[in-house]
Amino acid sequence: MKLDDAIKKLRRFYRFEKRLPTYEEMSELFGFSSKNASFKLIAKLIEAGILEKGDKGKLLPKNLFAIPHLGTIKAGYPMPAFEAHHDNIDLFRYLYDVQGDIYFLTVSGDSMIDALIGEGDKIIVDPSRTPKNGDIVAAIVDNEWTVKYYYKRNGAVELVPANKNYPVIYPRESLEIGGVIISVIRKYH
Amino acid sequence: MKLDDAIKKLRRFYRFEKRLPTYEEMSELFGFSSKNASFKLIAKLIEAGILEKGDKGKLLPKNLFAIPHLGTIKAGYPMPAFEAHHDNIDLFRYLYDVQGDIYFLTVSGDSMIDALIGEGDKIIVDPSRTPKNGDIVAAIVDNEWTVKYYYKRNGAVELVPANKNYPVIYPRESLEIGGVIISVIRKYH
DNA sequence: ATTGACAGTGAACAGATGTTCACTGTATAT
DNA sequence: ATATACAGTGAACATCTGTTCACTGTCAAT
């Protein structure tokens, strides 16, 4: 059993079960008839830095889901040299480093197009954060939701769209901030 | 112990340990001195659909990380009515439904700005997918990396930038497709 | 041919884990 | 006051789990 194959099988298992298999389950997964074979295989994965043992000796997926980050790619003219500096990004940690309760919204419309937020994009909103000038916020103005840049000048809040075809909103009646946009996620099909 | 507090504590534990705690660990986590108190609490979370028991009776985080999806927000004029249809999106499944090996790239430059991909954005590349017309690809042209729209007309490949200030690339010497962009992730700080 | 490293087998065992049962205190409603 | 539901305690136990040990076969190097 090659390490690469083992890694893929562990990933698949984890994706479905959201946990690592026990050594007995690994034996089934890897096609061993002895738990010990799995035990030895895992020892190698630990040595390779893919897995690790936590506080209480429990197996943890240290780098099992770290997607290789191959570097920076220039989206202008082709990049002179593509240095493959191998960071690894753990998507889970990358996006989930928020303490409080966050939520998703799906964007429709084009008023934030100049901020590179378009139709169908999912935005993650952190309702616990207080908006600073220039933050993008989900706001409830006069009982209606909208996504805009947030600016506070002389005590008055302006909600500025990232599209010249739309007007700046100066909330009159009520303004409630749904939260600050902390992330944008787009998925192509 | 309120269910909401328990959920938050479980999330925190899972974020660090990448697994659910045992009943004994839960007792410590929740401040119980009896495992059974945790057992009963978890039973409620299972009934509430937050957790579930898998094939072999193991505890799984069914919806523990499902971020509430509050609906569609119009980024044009404020939305007339904001129907709170409570989908839940599991970020992990949402972004990780790829079998093969994927990798990240960080974008620099503005040649894909009209495709809403800008400086600093992370793009996820699937090297196993064959590009179709209109897909955004990471390509290696004459030994240099670039991100462009992919088009094949009359057997000739065109790499089209999403920015009028840049020229269309007609690969002469070599063209290698690094992969198809399947996702864009932006994070604000 | 001999050696050694390596991949896997099979059995054994201490300790951890999920689950059940009977019990206690405490708040709330009747 | 009385009953009732509920949150938590404490102990018990069968089973599962990680780990160790001794062993077998196989391949490559000497």
Side-chain angles (χ1 to χ4, degrees):
Chain A
M1 169 73 44
K2 286 175 189 167
L3 284 196
D4 282 354
D5 293 338
I7 290 173
K8 281 179 189 170
K9 286 180 177 175
L10 286 175
R11 278 188 187 150
R12 207 167 305 149
F13 187 98
Y14 199 99
R15 208 173 293 134
F16 280 100
E17 296 285 329
K18 300 253 184 153
R19 62 175 176 88
L20 288 171
T22 65
Y23 287 109
E24 199 165 10
E25 289 169 326
M26 285 179 203
S27 301
E28 201 176 340
L29 194 64
F30 297 148
F32 296 146
S33 63
S34 168
K35 280 198 293 181
N36 186 253
S38 306
F39 187 76
K40 287 178 182 172
L41 188 60
I42 293 302
K44 283 183 192 164
L45 288 176
I46 292 172
E47 199 166 1
I50 311 291
L51 304 176
E52 67 178 333
K53 296 236 168 163
D55 295 341
K56 287 183 147 188
K58 303 250 170 187
L59 213 52
L60 303 181
K62 186 183 184 186
N63 274 313
L64 187 60
F65 288 99
I67 307 177
H69 181 238
L70 293 187
T72 305
I73 187 167
K74 191 154 181 186
Y77 291 101
M79 217 169 90
F82 177 68
E83 348 110 52
H85 54 94
H86 252 287
D87 294 331
N88 278 345
I89 296 181
D90 186 328
L91 200 51
F92 204 61
R93 290 219 177 111
Y94 185 70
L95 286 171
Y96 247 120
D97 266 356
V98 189
Q99 306 84 322
D101 294 322
I102 56 182
Y103 57 90
F104 270 114
L105 291 170
T106 303
V107 172
S108 101
D110 61 351
S111 86
M112 290 306 283
I113 204 92
D114 291 345
L116 307 184
I117 300 175
E119 181 77 28
D121 287 358
K122 305 248 181 277
I123 53 179
I124 301 183
V125 183
D126 183 350
S128 69
R129 205 188 283 194
T130 312
K132 299 187 300 290
N133 275 353
D135 279 355
I136 301 173
V137 298
I140 307 121
V141 190
D142 302 335
N143 264 327
E144 292 176 347
W145 281 75
T146 184
V147 182
K148 293 285 179 297
Y149 280 118
Y150 175 95
Y151 286 101
K152 193 168 195 172
R153 296 192 233 266
N154 309 323
V157 171
E158 301 174 11
L159 296 175
V160 182
N163 186 334
K164 291 158 210 152
N165 301 325
Y166 293 90
V168 175
I169 296 178
Y170 304 93
R172 295 165 304 171
E173 287 293 311
S174 66
L175 169 67
E176 197 187 328
I177 300 297
V180 177
I181 310 308
I182 57 171
S183 196
V184 178
I185 293 171
R186 187 178 309 135
K187 200 178 169 184
Y188 299 105
H189 298 286
Chain B
M1 168 72 47
K2 285 176 188 166
L3 284 195
D4 281 354
D5 293 338
I7 290 173
K8 280 179 191 171
K9 285 180 178 176
L10 286 176
R11 276 188 188 150
R12 206 166 306 149
F13 187 97
Y14 199 100
R15 208 173 294 136
F16 279 100
E17 295 285 329
K18 300 253 186 149
R19 63 175 176 88
L20 288 171
T22 66
Y23 287 109
E24 199 164 9
E25 289 169 326
M26 286 179 201
S27 302
E28 201 175 339
L29 195 64
F30 297 148
F32 295 145
S33 63
S34 168
K35 277 198 295 180
N36 186 252
S38 305
F39 188 76
K40 288 177 182 172
L41 187 60
I42 293 302
K44 284 183 192 163
L45 288 176
I46 292 172
E47 199 166 2
I50 310 292
L51 303 176
E52 68 177 334
K53 295 236 169 164
D55 293 341
K56 287 183 150 188
K58 302 251 172 186
L59 213 52
L60 303 182
K62 186 184 184 187
N63 274 311
L64 187 60
F65 289 99
I67 307 178
H69 181 238
L70 293 186
T72 304
I73 188 166
K74 191 154 180 187
Y77 292 101
M79 216 170 88
F82 177 68
E83 349 110 51
H85 55 92
H86 251 288
D87 295 331
N88 278 343
I89 296 182
D90 186 327
L91 199 51
F92 204 61
R93 289 219 178 113
Y94 184 72
L95 285 170
Y96 246 120
D97 266 356
V98 189
Q99 308 84 322
D101 294 322
I102 56 182
Y103 58 89
F104 269 115
L105 291 171
T106 302
V107 172
S108 99
D110 62 352
S111 85
M112 290 306 282
I113 204 94
D114 291 344
L116 308 185
I117 299 176
E119 180 77 28
D121 287 358
K122 305 248 181 277
I123 54 181
I124 300 183
V125 183
D126 183 351
S128 68
R129 206 188 282 194
T130 313
K132 299 187 299 290
N133 275 353
D135 279 354
I136 301 173
V137 298
I140 307 120
V141 190
D142 302 335
N143 264 327
E144 292 177 347
W145 282 74
T146 184
V147 182
K148 293 286 180 299
Y149 281 118
Y150 174 96
Y151 286 101
K152 192 166 196 173
R153 297 191 232 267
N154 310 323
V157 172
E158 301 175 12
L159 296 175
V160 183
N163 186 334
K164 291 159 210 153
N165 300 326
Y166 293 90
V168 175
I169 296 178
Y170 305 92
R172 293 166 305 170
E173 287 294 311
S174 65
L175 168 68
E176 197 187 330
I177 299 298
V180 176
I181 311 307
I182 56 172
S183 197
V184 178
I185 294 171
R186 188 178 309 136
K187 199 178 170 186
Y188 299 106
H189 300 284

